[in-house]
Amino acid sequence: MASIVEGPLSKWTNVMKGWQYRWFVLDYNAGLLSYYTSKDKMMRGSRRGCVRLRGAVIGIDDEDDSTFTITVDQKTFHFQARDADEREKWIHALEETILRHTLQLQGLDSGFVPSVQDFDKKLTEADAYLQILIEQLKLFDDKLQNCKDDEQRKKIETLKETTNSMVESIKHCIVLLQIAKDQSNAEQHADGLISTINPVDAIYQPSPLEPVISTMPSQTVLPPEPAQLCKSEQRPSSLPVGPVLATLGHHQTPTPNSTGTDLYNHYSSGSASVLTHSSSGNSLKRPDTTESLNSSMSNGTSDADLFDSHDDRDDEGEAGSVEEHKSVIMHLLSQVRLGMDLTKVVLPTFILERRSLLEMYADFFAHPDLFVSISDQKDPRDRMVQVVKWYLSAFHAGRRGSVAKKPYNPILGEIFQCHWTLPNDTEENTELVSEGPVPWVSKNSVTFVAEQVSHHPPISAFYAECFNKKIQFNAHIWTKSKFLGMSIGVHNIGQGCVSCLDYDEHYILTFPNGYGRSILTVPWVELGGECSINCSKTGYSANIVFHTKPFYGGKKHRITAEIFSPNDKKSFCSIEGEWNGVMYAKYASGENMVFVDTKKLPIIKKKVRKLEDQNEYESRCLWKDVTFNLKIRDIDAATEAKHRLEERQRAEARERKEKEIQWETRLFHEDGECWVYDEPLLKRLGAAKH
């Protein structure tokens, strides 16, 4: 690249509280970005200021294609280019400059004692060589594809597995060296942080997904493993792979996982196995998910004895664990680059939320009374308004605290089941919906089931129903995560369908994206993107925009929405407010009212079978060891438990591949671009009529 790049940009100034035109000069050799009030002032050498780029971090926002930030020495500078192409040109030149001055080694005089900065340089250099090694690993796949000789093929596979194992060891060594350095040089911690720009493509595997964290309902989330010893289970899908219009991220996290994206594992020594590995026969068999609960549902057993309504987040502190582990996060960031897909990046265990992404999706029904009341409305217009009201109330419950954390990435075949008792439910309503997704609860309850139906790409499917109200909901979400510098974005690709069976109406809706912001300080979550709700039968529709906070000014968590009558271009209802606060509606008639007040809406806690009654593939049972150790703050034990669970999944995938056994989903099946519950209420009611 040219040693000097120059041109106009706008720079945000806090003095004037606005954008100001400046002429910028990027000196590649000096590692400086200088700015002048005009090109003429530049010619005369009258510099206004400069930004030193060594160790800087570039940040972008997917919701705005012209602005970017540079963060260095605990200061953040905001810039605005003319358009997306201009921004791309500057970011490319800046990243090249930052990378050069991060990797640059100074000559050492004899007798010179290496400093923390020199140590960092060596770590960065090791990362660079690791990148080269991982790039070479990709050649194995080409050779395997073209190899016809079985014996030669086995040799290549053995070599690939050994090399992959070595690469993983090197990665963990680099993380441990970073931790050791920070522990012994606490006073120089700030100076020891390595650049987040070093692009180790080793972890980058272009796939039909693409974007940043997590996520929120990204599953941060967004959640994959590092370079694997074997290729993970691949499930063909006809889901769209292009960018989704105005959806968060480009996860995943969206993580939600997410996402999605897992945290970087460190090895801990000598831990006993925390998971009971089922026999190969049982692990490959499709289990019976309607297993009887007679043993625990004998006469006289109370609801409290059978179900657990406790949420592990209720006693989860928001302490600054991110600060405590910043060195690990900085090392993780050194492995990624702007716009990179985080599907193959493993995140640190200490930022996990102590529940699975599948359980997080159940938060859509934290207000089950709003959901079932959709079918109570007699007019199609009122039903559309009620669908929008339930939809806008469905996001705040997923974020309990102010600090963003990422749910576990579900493993293939994982199931989560729960139900809600409606506020007006009485003990007389005891008839069980035995053929439903949660067969041990009454027909007046709202029942929910979710399954991880695909691992690569990470797709979760979930279904809810209320038998007595004749209403059901079916959805699938594919999370794609993307790195945005100081943020992680999670695209939630997919759709949901609310079905009012008495009216034969189906409301198709999409989901917003999730962003994890300020990932080096106190992370927080926001939603962003344009969503829609459409009913083809009635013609009613709604457009909803989740607004991300701009670089300058503005409020967090804003939403605006418009509800339209059939064939009308002008909405009959406009909504604005905050998705985690109060939202106000203004009707064309002139009526103004509070539409949803999430601060006053009581959250009805879901009820989940107790651990001892759960099957081994149910979320809380699968992740119980990770959850327990996170709860007692034993990060090493939690990481080990998580690692063993993931290794078990890989081993089962290898076994299926060797035995040529196709993975069978438990409760859902693929139908075109959607994943559909096998026995929805609509199908069961139809069968009962015949």
Side-chain angles (χ1 to χ4, degrees):
M1 64 174 287
S3 59
I4 292 181
V5 177
E6 62 178 82
L9 288 171
S10 294
K11 178 179 177 291
W12 178 263
T13 170
N14 288 321
V15 178
M16 303 296 293
K17 295 295 181 185
W19 294 104
Q20 288 192 331
Y21 171 92
R22 293 286 183 263
W23 189 266
F24 284 84
V25 176
L26 173 61
D27 190 326
Y28 179 68
N29 295 320
L32 287 177
L33 179 65
S34 302
Y35 54 94
Y36 307 80
T37 55
S38 67
K39 186 174 182 179
D40 184 57
K41 289 286 182 69
M42 184 271 292
M43 300 294 290
R44 289 186 292 183
S46 179
R47 186 168 67 181
R48 180 77 172 178
C50 69
V51 180
R52 195 171 297 277
L53 297 174
R54 182 178 179 83
V57 178
I58 307 291
I60 60 174
D61 190 335
D62 264 12
E63 297 294 317
D64 185 337
D65 63 2
S66 63
T67 56
F68 64 95
T69 62
I70 299 177
T71 302
V72 64
D73 297 331
Q74 299 181 339
K75 294 180 182 178
T76 299
F77 302 89
H78 300 268
F79 304 95
Q80 186 177 54
R82 284 192 301 253
D83 51 36
D85 291 339
E86 188 75 11
R87 181 180 76 169
E88 186 66 27
K89 182 192 81 172
W90 276 102
I91 286 179
H92 178 72
L94 286 164
E95 285 187 329
E96 289 290 325
T97 304
I98 293 169
L99 181 60
R100 171 182 175 170
H101 289 273
T102 300
L103 295 175
Q104 199 175 56
L105 295 176
Q106 300 174 352
L108 301 178
D109 298 328
S110 58
F112 179 80
V113 178
S115 64
V116 175
Q117 290 87 343
D118 297 317
F119 184 85
D120 276 339
K121 291 175 187 176
K122 286 295 183 183
L123 280 179
T124 307
E125 187 179 28
D127 279 345
Y129 283 114
L130 179 61
Q131 173 189 355
I132 296 172
L133 179 59
I134 298 177
E135 285 295 327
Q136 294 295 318
L137 273 174
K138 295 177 182 177
L139 298 175
F140 282 119
D141 293 329
D142 294 333
K143 289 186 176 294
L144 285 170
Q145 219 170 17
N146 300 323
C147 183
K148 306 299 182 185
D149 185 355
D150 289 343
E151 187 175 346
Q152 185 69 16
R153 188 180 184 85
K154 285 183 180 179
K155 289 181 180 179
I156 296 174
E157 286 176 341
T158 302
L159 184 58
K160 178 184 175 182
E161 186 172 355
T162 304
T163 310
N164 267 325
S165 180
M166 181 184 70
V167 166
E168 286 305 296
S169 297
I170 294 172
K171 285 183 184 178
H172 288 294
C173 286
I174 292 175
V175 172
L176 293 173
L177 284 170
Q178 183 70 30
I179 294 171
K181 182 227 28 177
D182 284 324
Q183 288 175 341
S184 60
N185 299 278
E187 72 283 354
Q188 299 184 48
H189 178 76
D191 293 331
L193 298 180
I194 57 180
S195 168
T196 67
I197 296 301
N198 182 21
V200 178
D201 292 342
I203 315 175
Y204 179 58
Q205 309 226 346
S207 70
L209 326 172
E210 193 62 38
V212 188
I213 126 154
S214 291
T215 199
M216 337 172 338
S218 194
Q219 50 313 342
T220 24
V221 240
L222 338 307
E225 309 96 38
Q228 301 168 352
L229 300 185
C230 72
K231 203 164 185 180
S232 299
E233 183 78 5
Q234 197 83 16
R235 178 97 187 205
S237 172
S238 53
L239 288 170
V241 297
V244 172
L245 176 62
T247 2
L248 179 78
H250 166 42
H251 221 120
Q252 110 228 357
T253 114
T255 244
N257 190 204
S258 20
T259 29
T261 56
D262 276 6
L263 294 179
Y264 213 100
N265 287 318
H266 343 128
Y267 291 127
S268 62
S269 59
S271 298
S273 175
V274 295
L275 289 171
T276 304
H277 290 237
S278 57
S279 66
S280 59
N282 292 334
S283 64
L284 296 172
K285 182 181 176 183
R286 175 171 175 157
D288 179 8
T289 55
T290 58
E291 182 177 316
S292 171
L293 279 184
N294 291 337
S295 60
S296 60
M297 298 195 68
S298 56
N299 292 333
T301 305
S302 70
D303 188 77
D305 293 330
L306 291 174
F307 304 111
D308 181 5
S309 61
H310 178 71
D311 190 329
D312 269 310
R313 296 175 298 157
D314 292 340
D315 50 15
E316 183 171 14
E318 291 184 5
S321 58
V322 173
E323 282 296 325
E324 298 169 16
H325 302 275
K326 184 181 277 188
S327 62
V328 183
I329 292 181
M330 289 303 294
H331 177 81
L332 175 70
L333 294 181
S334 74
Q335 311 299 303
V336 298
R337 66 176 182 225
L338 286 177
M340 174 177 165
D341 177 14
L342 296 184
T343 301
K344 296 295 182 183
V345 179
V346 180
L347 303 176
T349 305
F350 62 83
I351 68 170
L352 294 179
E353 193 181 278
R354 303 213 306 247
R355 62 175 183 160
S356 172
L357 179 64
L358 297 185
E359 181 170 350
M360 194 190 79
Y361 287 138
D363 289 335
F364 279 115
F365 300 91
H367 304 296
D369 48 337
L370 292 183
F371 174 66
V372 300
S373 64
I374 295 171
S375 61
D376 292 336
Q377 312 304 314
K378 303 304 180 185
D379 184 77
R381 169 170 158 154
D382 293 336
R383 286 194 291 276
M384 170 56 82
V385 171
Q386 190 63 29
V387 170
V388 174
K389 184 175 292 188
W390 164 72
Y391 179 84
L392 291 178
S393 72
F395 297 97
H396 76 101
R399 296 260 55 90
R400 182 64 55 86
S402 60
V403 178
K405 291 202 168 186
K406 178 192 164 301
Y408 310 141
N409 296 319
I411 69 169
L412 185 64
E414 180 180 331
I415 296 288
F416 179 76
Q417 294 172 297
C418 68
H419 74 279
W420 293 264
T421 302
L422 295 173
N424 60 347
D425 199 5
T426 62
E427 292 188 2
E428 289 82 39
N429 299 319
T430 56
E431 186 181 357
L432 301 185
V433 55
S434 56
E435 72 281 11
V438 184
W440 48 85
V441 298
S442 76
K443 291 186 175 181
N444 202 45
S445 297
V446 173
T447 55
F448 175 92
V449 65
E451 177 182 356
Q452 190 68 10
V453 295
S454 174
H455 186 54
H456 288 305
I459 303 174
S460 305
F462 50 99
Y463 171 85
E465 71 173 40
C466 179
F467 186 94
N468 283 350
K469 296 290 185 177
K470 301 298 184 288
I471 188 170
Q472 68 179 44
F473 180 76
N474 194 104
H476 69 277
I477 295 180
W478 168 15
T479 56
K480 300 202 301 180
S481 303
K482 189 167 78 174
F483 178 61
L484 300 175
M486 301 302 289
S487 303
I488 292 177
V490 178
H491 269 299
N492 291 312
I493 299 174
Q495 66 178 34
C497 179
V498 177
S499 298
C500 291
L501 306 186
D502 285 339
Y503 301 98
D504 191 28
E505 293 174 357
H506 305 279
Y507 299 81
I508 306 299
L509 56 87
T510 56
F511 302 100
N513 302 304
Y515 291 98
R517 305 294 193 190
S518 305
I519 57 179
L520 288 184
T521 53
V522 180
W524 57 281
V525 169
E526 70 172 340
L527 304 179
E530 295 182 11
C531 302
S532 63
I533 304 176
N534 295 283
C535 179
S536 59
K537 180 178 179 180
T538 65
Y540 281 91
S541 63
N543 294 332
I544 302 165
V545 180
F546 292 81
H547 299 271
T548 56
K549 186 181 182 301
F551 279 130
Y552 46 93
K555 293 182 178 180
K556 296 179 181 178
H557 313 309
R558 285 186 58 242
I559 70 103
T560 56
E562 305 279 343
I563 309 178
F564 299 88
S565 297
N567 303 318
D568 280 358
K569 293 185 177 180
K570 188 174 182 180
S571 65
F572 69 82
C573 179
S574 299
I575 303 161
E576 64 176 27
E578 300 170 354
W579 57 263
N580 60 352
V582 184
M583 287 162 271
Y584 301 90
K586 182 177 181 178
Y587 287 87
S589 62
E591 180 186 5
N592 296 329
M593 61 183 293
V594 173
F595 192 67
V596 178
D597 186 350
T598 64
K599 304 293 185 184
K600 294 182 179 179
L601 279 176
I603 293 178
I604 299 176
K605 290 192 173 183
K606 58 183 173 288
K607 296 181 180 180
V608 186
R609 279 197 296 178
K610 291 184 179 295
L611 279 178
E612 56 266 28
D613 294 325
Q614 292 186 18
N615 293 308
E616 65 169 349
Y617 50 83
E618 291 189 61
S619 295
R620 290 191 178 181
C621 186
L622 270 174
W623 295 97
K624 64 180 183 294
D625 296 294
V626 180
T627 300
F628 173 76
N629 287 300
L630 284 175
K631 201 168 186 177
I632 64 175
R633 298 183 181 276
D634 189 340
I635 302 302
D636 286 341
T639 301
E640 178 68 14
K642 176 173 171 289
H643 178 70
R644 291 180 183 277
L645 185 58
E646 292 164 343
E647 281 301 312
R648 169 182 166 182
Q649 180 180 216
R650 295 180 191 121
E652 290 179 351
R654 283 196 296 270
E655 186 174 357
R656 286 194 299 273
K657 184 178 179 181
E658 291 169 1
K659 295 183 177 180
E660 298 182 346
I661 298 175
Q662 182 70 28
W663 170 258
E664 290 184 39
T665 52
R666 306 184 195 279
L667 301 171
F668 292 80
H669 64 275
E670 197 170 10
D671 183 3
E673 294 185 352
C674 300
W675 285 87
V676 180
Y677 182 59
D678 290 343
E679 298 295 330
L681 183 57
L682 176 63
K683 178 181 176 181
R684 302 197 315 267
L685 291 176
K689 291 179 181 178
H690 295 86

